[in-house]
Amino acid sequence: KGYQSNRMATLSREILKWIQTLDLSYSVKYVRRDFSNGFLIAEMISRYHVKEINMHSFANKSSKSSKKDNWFLLNKYFTKKNIPITQKMMDDIIDNKSGAAIPVLNIIYEYLTDRKVATKKPVIAPSVDIKPSYTRPTATQKIKDAGRANYEYSKNFSGMTTSGGGDPLVIGDTGRRLPLKSKSKNNGSRSNLQSQNSSILFKDVQIKTLDKYSTRNRLRSSGKPPQSAGTNMSGVESIHSSFRGEPMTVPAPEMTSTGVYADSIIEKLNQCVEQELEGTEAMMNQLDPRKDMIVSFIESCELLDAEDTQRVFKALKDFCMMKGSDYFLRSPKSFWKFVNIMTKGLLLPDASTNFLEFVDLFHAVGNSLVEKDQNTAWGLFNDFAMPKMVPLLKKDRFKRRHVLAIMYAFCSKDPQVHMDVIKSLQDALPGNNDAPYLSCLSHLIVMEESFNEKLLDLYIYYCIMGLSNSSPAVRASSLNMVSTIALEKYETVMNMVDRLLTMAQEETWWEIRIQVVCISATMLISNQLDDTQASIFYEIIETVLGGPCTMHMYTIALSYLAPALKNHPSLLDRYCIMLLSLSEDERLALLEQEPDHVETLQVGSSAIYDIVSIPFVWDSLGLVSALANHVEDAQIENFEMKHFDLLEAALNTTKPSSDSLERWLSIFESLKFHMFVGLYDDENCEYASDVILQFLRVLGNDGVGVAIGALSKMVMKAFKGVDDDQIALSKRCQEVLASLLIGIYDLGGGYTPKMAALARQLKDEGKQQTALGEFILHTNQ
């Protein structure tokens, strides 16, 4: 019965083949994990019913909230189509329960294909336990078992007497007494010794567990080097010397021996770990004493304290840069051992800090080797490290750029050398699947510091070839190269502009659509286009962003289009609408960053998107003007938090000039009542106060005429009486308003006398007992 349930928990070959024909965004490796968020389920259904499932509504994330949102949308489809998938089945998939996705996939397969899943009769395990030949004990195993049995027998032999009348057998803490029998022959003194014998005392053997690290330290302190594979003493000679009672000596390793170099590099790495963790008993206890320290450190680094691991990594990098490269150049075997050990660190999750430390360590080794011998550096990597890196390049798209950066660290920056490296990479990625190779090229092209004609033509060739591929992931990787090509060879991109427009109109794969927008932004920023050419890219951008878009698409587009706004104001209206469409978290992540902040975003098959702090590169005046137009066109009466966020970000980064002051005054005049109304809102009053004060700082004394009169009327109207039921503002809004009035008073210039006059008027009407009393008192100081 258990055997049958295990069989049912696996994906049938029929469904697996069917899934492979659907050309999903990523291949299925772990059924329980890959289908947990419902994204692939939605993609499978969209292949048959493209109008029923809008993939832009689904997020390929692993958070619990994203999973529930995706399955909530799928449940609507299931209910509408009467597909018998229950909420319990969906919850089990979300919770990653084993085998939960199998029945759901079976149901979806039967619904979409109108075919039944082929079922096989369960195989009943044989009732007779017949051991196959390879599990039967060998002769060696039988001898060992017999020895263990005799040992157990002797342990339980206490209290028995010998048949020859000898002393009883004694087993205890002090020793063990066994009788001896005389032989039939008289052999001189030996016979006499046996005849005089009563017993011989055997001491119990005490077994002491040795700590590998303490043993190594003891050998080091005594001046005796540890035995290694490079010593000239054979195993037989060492055993004989110990039998003779002679002290066993190990010759010091000679640096001309390749084997000694290989063992020495391990010892040096062990020393780096030991020196940095020495004295941290808790950390040392995490390491496995049966293994080399460096190996145990790599396996346990995720469990160790972050500060301790950083010290170890720094020591490893310092050693590799100062001395390690000499070991590797003299002994290829030592580099082979180093790679075998350190590539285990590249198997850590790509989001792990320790993973990036291992990447930096390989960078340090590569740069050090290239400085000393470029040809040998690449030869070592190609022979020993490339075979270890290829599986990561083929299977893990999120680690691909890091591995490729390591590869480039082991070669010079000459374009011709990079062409040879790319050829070696192509040879190392065999097969008919072009996706990994083109994805690698899309990362490598942005790492190039310079191009020659042949290298650029190589990228252009594979870019154009990939654009005709049937896989959307391959087409997206190819498009990722176009932005870099545009900076080097502007005419090549202009020749494919019609193709880009067709992609914007017809492609449904989100990454292809956003790549087209990024290419258009690059072309517009280059300032090499005339008005007619620019209008084509305006059309491409509006076609993509005016249609269904995910939040990731908006985030990427906002970052890439921001530098183009000043010279291309036609983009401002769409840009403003996209900003207001973001969620609060995504909006603040773009607006509240330092000027030089750059965040990398990888959500697709290959491309890495640089998300910048957009308020420091956009056109602040143009964007605020676009917001004012949007408020008027949409007839918005009350500002929400998103409007105040946009205004504050634009005002904090603007540097108004005398030429632009008139436009700023006009915008304030059109928006001031929306901002003043925000002072009545408990949720937005603080945001409204900050924006008004910042606006007046930008306007300077010119803002006195357009702001203070209307603000004074609003204050007097709100505080008609002194009782709370006579005041139109809540207690919190009153306190915020008082703080705003004090801030305006402190601006100085023409604001101070106007605010002082307002304070006297409030005092004359007896408003000292309200929240404005603090403002009145502040103006009298």
Side-chain angles (χ1 to χ4, degrees):
K1 197 171 181 180
Y3 182 80
Q4 182 179 355
S5 63
N6 289 335
R7 292 281 297 174
M8 293 301 292
T10 60
L11 194 62
S12 70
R13 188 174 184 84
E14 180 183 358
I15 295 182
L16 183 58
K17 286 185 176 180
W18 171 66
I19 291 175
Q20 292 173 345
T21 64
L22 296 179
D23 191 23
L24 301 179
S25 56
Y26 56 91
S27 59
V28 176
K29 298 178 182 177
Y30 305 102
V31 175
R32 181 168 59 179
R33 182 194 67 187
D34 294 341
F35 290 100
S36 178
N37 64 0
F39 182 83
L40 285 184
I41 298 289
E43 196 172 15
M44 291 160 62
I45 298 174
S46 69
R47 293 291 188 267
Y48 289 82
H49 305 287
V50 64
K51 295 183 179 180
E52 298 282 349
I53 295 292
N54 186 357
M55 287 306 298
H56 303 299
S57 302
F58 293 84
N60 191 11
K61 298 180 180 179
S62 57
S63 64
K64 197 70 175 282
S65 59
S66 298
K67 291 180 181 180
K68 289 184 176 180
D69 291 343
N70 288 349
W71 283 103
F72 175 77
L73 296 175
L74 287 172
N75 192 30
K76 289 184 176 180
Y77 175 80
F78 297 152
T79 304
K80 180 180 178 181
K81 299 295 183 180
N82 294 321
I83 300 175
I85 296 177
T86 64
Q87 187 63 45
K88 176 67 166 58
M89 297 167 73
M90 292 184 285
D91 291 339
D92 288 346
I93 296 178
I94 293 173
D95 294 336
N96 283 333
K97 290 188 177 180
S98 178
I102 306 301
V104 173
L105 288 171
N106 289 343
I107 293 173
I108 292 175
Y109 170 77
E110 292 180 352
Y111 173 76
L112 295 177
T113 64
D114 200 22
R115 294 199 297 261
K116 291 290 183 182
V117 178
T119 57
K120 298 181 179 180
K121 293 183 179 180
V123 179
I124 301 175
S127 57
V128 181
D129 185 14
I130 303 175
K131 291 186 177 180
S133 59
Y134 58 83
T135 64
R136 297 171 189 167
T138 61
T140 303
Q141 185 65 38
K142 289 181 178 180
I143 293 172
K144 289 182 179 179
D145 292 342
R148 295 190 186 99
N150 290 337
Y151 173 71
E152 294 295 330
Y153 177 76
S154 64
K155 283 179 63 179
N156 299 322
F157 200 64
S158 175
M160 298 183 65
T161 59
T162 62
S163 60
D167 294 337
L169 178 69
V170 178
I171 297 177
D173 295 334
T174 58
R176 181 165 43 192
R177 195 177 299 277
L178 299 174
L180 294 179
K181 295 182 181 180
S182 299
K183 290 188 178 180
S184 59
K185 268 190 174 181
N186 186 356
N187 291 331
S189 61
R190 183 174 180 180
S191 175
N192 294 335
L193 177 61
Q194 289 182 349
S195 64
Q196 296 171 6
N197 171 71
S198 59
S199 64
I200 294 177
L201 185 66
F202 291 88
K203 291 290 185 181
D204 276 348
V205 177
Q206 300 295 325
I207 300 175
K208 181 179 180 181
T209 303
L210 295 179
D211 188 341
K212 178 178 180 179
Y213 303 141
S214 61
T215 303
R216 185 189 296 121
N217 292 337
R218 189 161 59 251
L219 286 171
R220 189 181 298 136
S221 62
S222 65
K224 296 179 181 180
Q227 186 176 357
S228 70
T231 60
N232 295 324
M233 180 180 293
S234 66
V236 175
E237 291 172 342
S238 63
I239 293 174
H240 286 175
S241 64
S242 63
F243 276 159
R244 291 193 300 266
E246 301 171 1
M248 184 176 65
T249 59
V250 180
E254 299 178 4
M255 298 311 289
T256 56
S257 169
T258 300
V260 171
Y261 263 110
D263 288 335
S264 297
I265 191 67
I266 304 301
E267 285 300 318
K268 293 295 183 183
L269 296 175
N270 287 338
Q271 290 176 22
C272 291
V273 178
E274 188 174 4
Q275 289 171 2
E276 297 302 324
L277 296 184
E278 189 175 6
T280 57
E281 184 177 354
M283 297 297 103
M284 294 293 287
N285 290 337
Q286 295 281 352
L287 304 182
D288 189 345
R290 298 168 298 179
K291 301 178 180 179
D292 283 302
M293 262 197 170
I294 182 63
V295 175
S296 186
F297 168 76
I298 293 172
E299 294 175 352
S300 310
C301 62
E302 292 288 88
L303 306 176
L304 302 180
D305 183 74
E307 294 183 1
D308 293 325
T309 56
Q310 287 179 3
R311 289 203 315 273
V312 173
F313 279 118
K314 184 178 184 304
L316 292 172
K317 292 173 191 174
D318 292 342
F319 165 74
C320 289
M321 294 178 68
M322 295 175 62
K323 298 180 180 179
S325 55
D326 293 330
Y327 282 81
F328 302 145
L329 290 173
R330 295 182 187 179
S331 168
K333 185 176 180 181
S334 65
F335 182 75
W336 171 74
K337 282 201 170 186
F338 175 84
V339 168
N340 277 352
I341 292 173
M342 292 302 173
T343 47
K344 296 177 182 177
L346 299 180
L347 300 179
L348 295 173
D350 61 285
S352 168
T353 303
N354 291 324
F355 169 78
L356 297 178
E357 292 285 359
F358 282 107
V359 172
D360 289 341
L361 179 58
F362 274 104
H363 271 278
V365 173
N367 293 332
S368 180
L369 286 173
V370 168
E371 287 180 3
K372 296 181 178 180
D373 190 336
Q374 297 178 4
N375 295 332
T376 304
W378 173 247
L380 288 172
F381 182 88
N382 197 32
D383 290 341
F384 301 115
M386 183 70 87
K388 295 284 186 180
M389 305 292 180
V390 165
L392 290 173
L393 292 174
K394 291 174 66 176
K395 297 179 181 179
D396 199 326
R397 58 191 173 94
F398 291 107
K399 292 182 180 179
R400 204 167 277 160
R401 62 188 175 108
H402 298 293
V403 176
L404 292 170
I406 292 173
M407 184 181 74
Y408 263 15
F410 280 83
C411 64
S412 70
K413 298 178 181 179
D414 183 75
Q416 184 59 47
V417 174
H418 282 192
M419 284 194 66
D420 297 335
V421 170
I422 292 172
K423 180 64 171 64
S424 299
L425 176 65
Q426 187 179 22
D427 295 338
L429 292 171
N432 297 323
N433 186 5
D434 295 328
Y437 179 61
L438 288 173
S439 176
C440 289
L441 291 181
S442 71
H443 290 298
L444 289 175
I445 192 172
V446 298
M447 299 180 191
E448 303 289 356
E449 295 186 8
S450 62
F451 293 88
N452 61 16
E453 187 175 354
K454 290 183 178 180
L455 181 60
L456 185 60
D457 287 344
L458 182 146
Y459 282 115
I460 293 174
Y461 169 77
Y462 282 107
C463 171
I464 295 174
M465 185 182 72
L467 290 177
S468 302
N469 195 288
S470 59
S471 169
V474 173
R475 296 200 298 276
S477 297
S478 301
L479 282 172
N480 190 38
M481 292 187 264
V482 176
S483 294
T484 305
I485 293 172
L487 299 175
E488 300 293 330
K489 209 167 185 178
Y490 150 82
E491 300 83 3
T492 301
V493 181
M494 287 307 304
N495 290 335
M496 51 186 356
V497 67
D498 292 335
R499 190 170 193 173
L500 295 176
L501 181 57
T502 302
M503 284 184 167
Q505 295 169 343
E506 298 179 359
E507 287 282 1
T508 58
W509 184 249
W510 76 269
E511 193 176 1
I512 293 177
R513 293 167 63 81
I514 197 60
Q515 283 283 359
V516 171
V517 172
C518 294
I519 295 168
S520 301
T522 302
M523 294 297 289
L524 292 173
I525 295 170
S526 68
N527 294 324
Q528 300 184 55
L529 308 177
D530 56 34
D531 292 341
T532 303
Q533 293 171 331
S535 64
I536 300 175
F537 290 104
Y538 296 157
E539 183 181 357
I540 291 174
I541 293 171
E542 183 62 29
T543 301
V544 174
L545 300 180
C549 291
T550 64
M551 290 298 104
H552 281 315
M553 292 180 67
Y554 280 154
T555 299
I556 296 168
L558 288 167
S559 183
Y560 277 73
L561 290 173
L565 296 179
K566 190 167 187 178
N567 293 328
H568 302 279
S570 301
L571 303 174
L572 284 167
D573 290 339
R574 173 56 58 188
Y575 196 91
C576 178
I577 293 172
M578 286 194 296
L579 262 178
L580 297 176
S581 301
L582 293 177
S583 66
E584 181 181 358
D585 291 340
E586 291 168 322
R587 185 172 63 252
L588 294 181
L590 285 172
L591 300 180
E592 296 186 350
Q593 300 294 347
E594 296 298 322
D596 298 329
H597 175 81
V598 178
E599 179 182 349
T600 57
L601 178 65
Q602 183 175 8
V603 292
S605 60
S606 62
I608 307 296
Y609 303 97
D610 290 333
I611 308 302
V612 301
S613 183
I614 58 177
F616 295 92
V617 292
W618 67 17
D619 176 18
S620 297
L621 177 58
L623 189 61
V624 174
S625 177
L627 175 64
N629 294 334
H630 174 71
V631 169
E632 182 179 356
D633 294 341
Q635 298 182 350
I636 297 174
E637 296 181 357
N638 299 316
F639 271 2
E640 300 176 23
M641 189 184 300
K642 59 185 179 182
H643 301 100
F644 289 117
D645 286 342
L646 195 156
L647 282 171
E648 185 177 19
L651 292 167
N652 285 338
T653 56
T654 189
K655 294 180 180 179
S657 62
S658 56
D659 296 335
S660 63
L661 187 59
E662 185 175 348
R663 286 187 63 192
W664 280 109
L665 286 168
S666 175
I667 294 170
F668 182 86
E669 185 71 33
S670 64
L671 296 179
K672 65 180 180 182
F673 289 109
H674 290 83
M675 293 185 286
F676 290 163
V677 169
L679 295 171
Y680 286 81
D681 187 349
D682 280 350
E683 292 184 1
N684 295 320
C685 58
E686 290 185 9
Y687 300 106
S689 173
D690 292 341
V691 168
I692 292 170
L693 190 60
Q694 185 62 26
F695 227 130
L696 296 180
R697 286 196 183 101
V698 170
L699 297 176
N701 283 332
D702 295 280
V704 175
V706 296
I708 302 306
L711 182 62
S712 299
K713 290 181 180 179
M714 189 213 77
V715 172
M716 298 305 299
K717 183 177 180 181
F719 287 83
K720 288 183 178 180
V722 295
D723 298 329
D724 289 341
D725 57 350
Q726 296 176 315
I727 299 176
L729 300 175
S730 67
K731 198 69 175 177
R732 185 186 180 200
C733 291
Q734 294 178 45
E735 295 172 353
V736 170
L737 179 59
S739 178
L740 171 63
L741 297 177
I742 292 173
I744 297 175
Y745 175 85
D746 291 341
L747 287 176
Y751 293 103
T752 300
K754 290 289 185 181
M755 288 293 100
L758 175 61
R760 289 193 297 270
Q761 185 178 357
L762 290 170
K763 183 178 180 181
D764 294 341
E765 296 192 9
K767 300 297 189 293
Q768 299 94 323
Q769 304 304 318
T770 66
L772 296 181
E774 184 179 355
F775 163 63
I776 296 171
L777 180 63
H778 183 80
T779 58
N780 292 330
Q781 294 177 353

